[in-house]
Amino acid sequence: MSDSTASPIPADRPVYVIGGGPGGLAAAYALRSQGVRAVVLEKSDRVGASWRHHYDRLRLHTTRRLSALPGLAIPRRFGRWVARDDVVRYLEKYAEHHELEIVTGVEVSRVDPAPDGGGWLLHATGGRELTGAAVVVATGHNHTPRMPDWPGREAYPGELLHASAYRGPGPYAGRDVLVVGAGNTGAEIAVDLVEGGAARVRLAVRTAPHIVRRSTAGWAAQYSGILVRRLPLRLVDRLARPLARLSVPDLSAYGLPRPGTGLASRVAEGAIPVQDVGLIDAVRTGRVEVVPAVEAFESGKVVLVDGRRVEPDAVVAATGYDRALEGLVGHLGVLDERGRPVVQGARTPPTAPGLFFTGFTNPISGMLRELARDARRIAKAVARSGGRRLSRLPG
């Protein structure tokens, strides 16, 4: 790993921020606060594009106060757990309030070292070639929907959609729906379907998740995540176990046993605990039936790993997302074997000084909180590397 101070950044070029979501906007504002010109490149026509396409029910699982980006609080009227539409309003206001320099409709396909050795060359839509002093990649943790290549999937005659295409329960009222995947998205969609009038809802689970209460007696789960985030994994695993037994009932009889792996160890593997927004009650009352994972599709039916065959009207695959960074920066040796950046925040890869990443982890302390912290660190690192202000700000 290298600190960005090892390679001076050209002073006559802007810093390009790829992605107009929370991470990109926060980085742009933080850079501007350091006197650095930052240009956000967003492939859609508006900021916060990914947030606009999440399901209607979605609310932040982190508190309003600890989810604000640098330089602008989230309005109190949005409540403690901010709704999706209010997150979008906040991001729009954030960009407007800070007068950020944002160019929409521009998708960056590849980043290369600049031919003159001074910064980075970005290849973008329309044959554009943009040269930046530094680059902040903020394309998001949830970038490209991941649909498992189940045998027989292509011939399945029923409705099969990824969770990214799910908006609300209306189209599924009175229908039999199988939700695949017991992460936060799958759990919440299952509850949404039950409350929205689906006739039957099953939740296919491969590995039982850790389930935590979003808030207990006013104490948000995020607070605990912040307190323990720097403690050794084994210690956090040990602390979490009795707390889980006190706050979450044993659902083993319903197909959701307590996980054998500790909570912190699972987080280190990339599995964030499921925050309960009604799943526990729905499972205990039988309104959500837990079934084994999906193995294949065959003769119009869904085959489960235990051999059972079910025939739902619709299947919602809450099977996660790929970061899809390979085409953009994979040739630079900056990704690990799972396609994740080898470093994040103020540190740059040893082979790519001046190339920064933010928003590619999902910490239990809260993604938006960590995006805000990353933004400040990146901006300071860039300013130090430039040795002086990189370019004059507009006005």
Side-chain angles (χ1 to χ4, degrees), residues 210-211 233-248 258-265:
H210 284 274
I211 302 174
L233 293 184
R234 289 185 180 180
L235 176 58
V236 179
D237 287 345
R238 212 172 297 136
L239 292 172
R241 195 169 295 116
L243 291 176
R245 293 185 181 279
L246 286 172
S247 61
V248 177
R258 296 190 187 277
T261 308
L263 185 148
S265 297

Side-chain angles (χ1 to χ4, degrees), residues 53-59 61 161-172 177-198 200-204 274-279 282 287-288 314-321:
H53 296 100
H54 286 311
Y55 50 93
D56 299 339
R57 177 194 178 96
L58 180 66
R59 287 181 176 270
H61 289 166
L161 68 155
H162 189 270
S164 59
Y166 176 88
R167 294 293 171 270
Y172 307 98
V177 186
L178 172 66
V179 181
V180 184
N184 276 294
T185 297
E188 192 156 359
I189 287 177
V191 173
D192 195 36
L193 287 164
V194 165
E195 295 179 353
R200 185 176 189 179
V201 178
R202 282 172 284 208
L203 180 63
V274 170
Q275 293 205 14
D276 178 47
V277 291
L279 180 67
R287 293 178 297 156
V288 170
V315 178
V316 181
T319 46
Y321 295 79

Side-chain angles (χ1 to χ4, degrees), residues 18 88 96 106 110 122 162 169 210 235 268 277 309 319 322 331 336 342 386 391 394:
I18 306 175
V88 172
E96 176 188 351
V106 175
R110 183 180 172 98
L122 287 70
H162 189 270
H210 284 274
L235 176 58
V277 291
R309 283 165 167 75
T319 46
D322 292 321
H331 57 288
D336 65 16
V342 294
S391 60

Side-chain angles (χ1 to χ4, degrees), residues 2 7 24 50 63 85-86 107 109 129 133 157 165 175 204 226 238-239 255 277 316 345 353 380:
S2 78
S7 181
S50 63
T63 66
D85 289 348
D86 287 331
E107 182 174 8
S109 57
E129 291 190 344
R175 301 175 70 190
I226 292 171
R238 212 172 297 136
L239 292 172
V277 291
V316 181
K380 290 178 180 178

Side-chain angles (χ1 to χ4, degrees), residues 27-64:
Y29 166 70
L31 286 162
R32 189 183 177 106
S33 298
Q34 291 288 332
V36 176
R37 182 186 174 205
V39 179
V40 178
L41 303 175
E42 167 56 44
K43 69 177 182 179
S44 73
D45 60 349
R46 294 176 292 180
V47 301
S50 63
W51 278 93
R52 299 175 189 275
H53 296 100
H54 286 311
Y55 50 93
D56 299 339
R57 177 194 178 96
L58 180 66
R59 287 181 176 270
L60 291 180
H61 289 166
T62 54
T63 66
R64 170 180 53 81

Side-chain angles (χ1 to χ4, degrees), residues 265-299:
S265 297
R266 289 286 297 279
V267 170
E269 297 169 357
I272 295 298
V274 170
Q275 293 205 14
D276 178 47
V277 291
L279 180 67
I280 293 174
D281 288 341
V283 169
R284 293 177 78 182
T285 57
R287 293 178 297 156
V288 170
E289 305 169 46
V290 179
V291 298
V294 171
E295 180 74 16
F297 290 80
E298 185 180 290
S299 302

